[in-house]
Amino acid sequence: MDLDARIPSAPIEFMWDTHKEHLRLVGPRNRPKYRILVVGSGLAGASAAASMAAMGYRVDCFCFQDSPRRAHSIAAQGGINAAKDYRNDGDSIYRLFYDTQKGGDYRSREANVWRLAELSTAIIDQAVAQGVPFAREYGGLLANRSFGGVLVERTFYCRGETGQQLLLGACSALAEQIHAGSVTMHTRSEMLDVVVIDGRARGIVVRDLLTGKLSSHAADAVVLATGGYSNVYYLSTNAKGCNVTATWRAHKRGAGFANPCFNQIHPTCIPVAGEHQSKLTLMSESLRNDGRIWVPRQASESRSVDEIPESDRYYYLEERYPRFGNLVPRDVASRNAKEVCDQGLGVGSSGLGVYLDFRDAISEYGHDAIGARYENLFEMYERITGESPWNAPMRIYPAPHYTMGGLWVDYDLMTTVPGLFAIGEANFSDHGANRLGASSMMQCLADGYFIVPLTIGDYLSRHPSGDVTTDHAAFSDSETEVRDRTERLLSIQGTQTVESLHRELGRLMWQDCGIARNADGLSRALDEIPKLRERFWNELRIVGSGETLNQSLEHAGRLADFLEFAELMCRDALVRDESCGCHFREEHQTSEGETLRNDRDFSHVSVWEHRGMDHDPKLHREALTFEALPLAQRNYKT
Amino acid sequence: MNFVLKIWRQEGTGSGGAFSHYEVRDVEPTVSFLEMLDTLNEELTESGQEPVAFDSDCREGICGMCSLVINGQPHGPIPGTTTCQLYMRHFSDGEEITIEPWRSSAFPVLRDLVVDRSAFDRVMQAGGYVTVHSGPKPEPNSIPIEPEVAEEALDAACCIGCGACVAACPNGAAMLYTSAKVSHLALLPQGQPERYARVTAMVEQMEEEGFGSCRNYAECEAACPKEISIKFIGRMNRDYLRAALREPINPRGKMESQ
Amino acid sequence: MSRLLSLYRSTLGKKAIVAVTGVAMLVFLVLHVIGNLKAFLPDPQLGVPDIDVYSRYLRSMGTPLLPHGAALWAIRIVMLVALALHVVCVVKLARINHAARPIRYHRRRFVEATTAARSMLVTGAILLAFLGFHLLQFTTGTIDSERFVEGAVYANLYRAFHEVSIFAIGYVLAMGILATHVYHGAWSLFQSLGYDRPDRNPGLRAFALLLALGLFVTFSSVPVAFFSGKMPVPPDSKRVAAVKGGG
Ligand SMILES: Cc1cc2nc3c(=O)[nH]c(=O)nc-3n(C[C@H](O)[C@H](O)[C@H](O)COP(=O)(O)OP(=O)(O)OC[C@H]3O[C@@H](n4cnc5c(N)ncnc54)[C@H](O)[C@@H]3O)c2cc1C
Ligand code: FES
């Protein structure tokens, strides 16, 4: 597996400009001859499809929802970072780069992170030009707020629905191109295979979710923008449909999978209420700006909240991290919550919850000021739990939220399969072992608006256009494989529902490959997952046919992939015998319970090569270098 | 809690449909409406019956995928709430709950409770954008926007495109949706150059899709999970009439032939 | 012209036409009721009721510039065209709306829609029928022709409402329907023309309510007054005939 990241040789500040200057171009007259498939219509996919179509390429875009605008990006709440330094508080490209590298615990590629920081400002300009109504100051200029883990205010936002507005912006650009005929949109279409011919990605096989019909699409390049795989845990903050299918099947066709075990558990989610819960709801991280997190000091606490005196309240983040307090990065906050709950201090009926208390903020700033900041979040909490945060502290608990791992890509965002690109959450590139708040949308849009439209031209210019059609045998072979698999799923006729098997996988992964991991648990999971997979293929029951809308069948196909992928995730977590960012191996911690990196042995990206389900995957390593920002132990204490 | 569900079942677009009755027992009040349906579907699957098809994705009230007319109200009885955010504690024990799909000829039923809302996308494609392509753009702070204006634009732009407004409207009109989309951009300086061409194109598309016309019942506003105000309808009417009566006909004619 | 045609083709344009013609008819109604109230005024010349004088004025309006009766006919034609457009557009819109929502919900709960709003088509149809009746009764005198004397407005009113109680009751009911129709229409037209705005809407709503109530009370007052028997008996019919001949 060729892991040359093709990082340009230039000082980091000039790398992207130099690279752009040397990229080969496709002339405007030739662009319509090239066909590009974009799978996914989230921030990454919609922005890429729209940008490339506007340049003149012929683009086909696919999503499994009924409209591109419903991609999961729509749910992002808090905001998007950009190093504009409007606040004059010392922000700069360097500082955004620094924060991202440090936040990611030095497990990302410097060159990519710098470029991300550099492009961040252009995203805001682009979005405003599209009509994204960002929050404004009284004077009419753009407003900012701060987000966990940083010391500057660089987050741009539209109330609590920034992702929605940014996605609507990107989708409006996409709509323009659909109208112009340069993008063909395929909704309710699920990509089930990548077709690789002579070592290059030449198309995909897609299932129409309404009719079950398979169709092949040939192209000159394929871009995957299919989001993250947090639903491997069954319960996560992601939408129900989020899945690993597209990236997993690409992986099986030769794309290296990088750092699959790096997934972020978000600290402020509403705790699980019962067995039939289908998803977890994120409460914006901004709540930590004013809410104080605590648990009772005594495990046996039986008094009601109001009766617990100050001295018996354990404000564990404030006590342990005086400088950042409740605003420590997500991984630190999540791990501490789990730890206090493991000690039996957790609150709520399940014991899996901690308080997020606004009592002091309300008495300090007044009801109105707090209401102005959090009214809609309070409402949302009350709507879900039936309890009002004005009267009693919120209860929160960490939940799987974001996956830093993904398909390995080089500086051009191309995977190890030539012609197959991966952008947005689907790739691994910029967030290392932990992502900072408000940075994902930034990455998705940098990838989609500004990077892939240029780098794809360099690839395309090296190849003749349109030289493969769907008549090629590889397409019919792939269709046959996909069809067989669907038929196999339908023919099992066992007793278990997809949901129940997915819940089982989720519990297992949460237990052994969740917030904290250890070798025993991971080894156990590696034993259990194949058994569960076995049961899946023997006991699953799907009613209905493959020729109509069949949501259980869709779900089963995705679960089948999760069941294969989960194993890789655990394997990666086991092999990465260090703690870093969100990957907390209990064997490796400081005396104070902080992550303990092992830079000597693990300053690399783990890239997995698939060698068939009967063989163990092969591990490759891309060594990481740290020149712009020397390695340092992360410290949020002082 | 126990409930009797009366659910619309329909094989496909052309085929007829009918109500089926189901009983669900021992439902926790903390369970959401869709989770209750999930449970029903698991039970149906276990007993070899086809599960009820319904749309959902984010399950937190933002993607606009979930629908359902519950006891005669789109998204159920709680104002400002999508079906996915509805909890069983909002219903009374033993109640019979009627569940129907969105009804509108522009939204044909695909299966059971799932409808085709692609008409909304085509309305957007007709003009719901500012024509800008990716690349360097002016510094945003060079065009200040009063916060009130930005907020009002966001009030319109926060539409989740679920279609409850159409479902609620006895006239099957999509005026709230279209007007929210039109107004979002019409309010902002970025939307001005294409303002009148946009409203004309989007309204024409809306009519072509077979949506009805507004009779000012305000049922749409009441059903909207984002509580978008019908004031945007008047705004759109104003812009549309202005475009029809005062703006040049085919303003781009000359440019297009260049 | 092509603009107006294209406006007519769109539903928003049709709504605007309904609104504008609605305004025209409202203006007419207000003028009409002002005229009706003259029934309460004392006779200006001996034996000639004020309202009859007014009716004569209407016919001679615009003379000598225009031929006798021309202005009145012009108004009639304008109103007829307005009414026709109003009805045609409403019927077309109703068809479109029905096609847009052919299937009803098995169960439906309305939240905002007022009964007035939901019954516009029904009230409109009743009003149309009522209008026909009204014209046949008081303009052409076709209905109840033995009581009718052309030009003797007061006497006609007296006979109709004092002597036939069903007419009085029917007219008051019809005015109730008119008020319901106006209550939604007079508010809704502002939206159709894009003049509504949240800060104006309470005012606009109040205006529509006042207009509807005002029309109801003033229009109904005439039949009620005659019905109650408090109104003076009309002057004898010979005089009436003389007035008629002179007019
Ligand atoms: C609740 C929540 C809040 C968040 N808040 C923030 C925030 O404040 N700031 C921030 O920066 N980030 C935030 N994030 C993270 C961020 O929203 C996501 O990482 C980002 O939107 C991912 O975008 P994407 O384009 O990569 O993928 P997605 O938006 O997930 O889109 C995936 C697309 O791929 C399609 N797809 C997937 N599989 C297939 C297939 N097999 N075939 C066809 N199509 C397929 C889907 O239909 C969809 O269109 C948040 C995430 C969550 C869950
Ligand atoms: S499922 Fe997304 S809004 Fe209800």
Side-chain angles (χ1 to χ4, degrees), chain A residues 249-269:
Chain A
R249 302 213 178 164
H251 174 62
K252 287 173 108 176
R253 294 287 178 192
F257 213 110
N259 298 334
C261 79
F262 286 173
N263 62 283
Q264 182 173 71
I265 315 277
H266 197 288
T268 50
C269 303

Side-chain angles (χ1 to χ4, degrees), chain B residues 34 56-66 82-84 160:
Chain B
L34 294 184
S56 82
D57 200 22
C58 74
R59 298 217 174 176
E60 55 182 73
I62 190 75
C63 74
M65 189 99 176
C66 61
T82 54
T83 295
C84 61
I160 60 174

Side-chain angles (χ1 to χ4, degrees), chain C residues 68-195:
Chain C
H68 185 77
L72 185 62
W73 269 105
I75 294 176
R76 283 175 174 163
I77 289 168
V78 168
M79 289 330 295
L80 214 64
V81 171
L83 178 71
L85 277 174
H86 196 80
V87 172
V88 167
C89 288
V90 163
V91 168
K92 285 201 170 238
L93 287 170
R95 282 219 181 128
I96 294 172
N97 293 348
H98 182 75
R101 250 299 278 292
I103 306 177
R104 287 164 164 261
Y105 289 107
H106 182 72
R107 205 170 148 178
R108 180 77 179 107
R109 256 202 69 199
F110 287 101
V111 186
E112 280 286 322
T114 56
T115 317
R118 278 167 42 215
S119 54
M120 286 303 270
L121 279 181
V122 177
T123 51
I126 296 176
L127 287 175
L128 197 60
F130 166 75
L131 178 66
F133 181 86
H134 177 60
L135 291 177
L136 289 178
Q137 183 174 21
F138 286 120
T139 308
T140 64
T142 323
I143 291 174
D144 213 12
S145 53
E146 62 276 20
R147 280 184 234 265
F148 183 79
V149 180
E150 200 179 338
V153 181
Y154 186 87
N156 287 339
L157 290 171
Y158 186 86
R159 286 182 206 125
F161 294 135
H162 187 68
E163 293 165 14
V164 191
S165 53
I166 187 81
F167 283 149
I169 297 170
Y171 267 72
V172 173
L173 282 181
M175 288 311 105
I177 303 247
L178 174 75
T180 323
H181 197 79
V182 166
Y183 171 63
H184 184 68
W187 139 249
S188 199
L189 67 89
F190 291 108
Q191 192 211 40
S192 299
L193 297 175
Y195 185 77

Side-chain angles (χ1 to χ4, degrees), chain A residues 22 42 97 114 123 174 258 275 336 367 428-429 433 467 490 505 538 586 607 633:
Chain A
H22 292 91
F97 160 77
W114 186 281
I123 296 170
L174 184 64
E275 168 70 9
N336 278 280
H367 192 286
F428 89 107
S429 69
D467 55 341
L490 285 165
L505 174 67
N538 288 319
E586 286 166 350
V607 188
Q633 191 64 38

Side-chain angles (χ1 to χ4, degrees), chain A residues 428-500:
Chain A
F428 89 107
S429 69
D430 300 345
H431 305 293
N434 175 44
R435 172 175 74 80
L436 287 183
S439 285
S440 170
M441 297 207 265
M442 169 171 81
Q443 181 228 331
C444 292
L445 292 176
D447 288 1
Y449 283 133
F450 303 121
I451 305 174
V452 91
L454 292 184
T455 58
I456 207 165
D458 184 79
Y459 167 81
L460 293 172
S461 70
R462 294 167 201 276
H463 301 282
S465 58
D467 55 341
V468 161
T469 66
T470 50
D471 296 336
H472 195 286
F475 283 98
S476 47
D477 291 351
S478 171
E479 276 194 35
T480 311
E481 263 180 61
V482 170
R483 189 170 299 115
D484 289 351
R485 193 179 157 97
T486 312
E487 275 163 16
R488 225 181 114 201
L489 286 170
L490 285 165
S491 67
I492 305 170
Q493 291 303 327
T495 54
Q496 299 275 310
T497 62
V498 197
E499 295 280 335
S500 68

Side-chain angles (χ1 to χ4, degrees), chain A residues 194-249:
Chain A
V194 178
V195 178
V196 179
I197 299 173
D198 299 332
R200 288 170 54 205
R202 299 314 304 265
I204 60 175
V205 170
V206 171
R207 180 168 181 272
D208 180 326
L209 298 179
L210 292 177
T211 61
K213 267 207 199 80
L214 296 183
S215 60
S216 289
H217 302 262
D220 298 290
V222 177
V223 180
L224 296 187
T226 51
Y229 49 81
S230 294
N231 278 349
V232 70
Y233 293 99
Y234 184 68
L235 287 179
S236 81
T237 63
N238 286 12
K240 284 291 278 174
C242 291
N243 63 83
V244 76
T245 292
T247 46
W248 183 247
R249 302 213 178 164

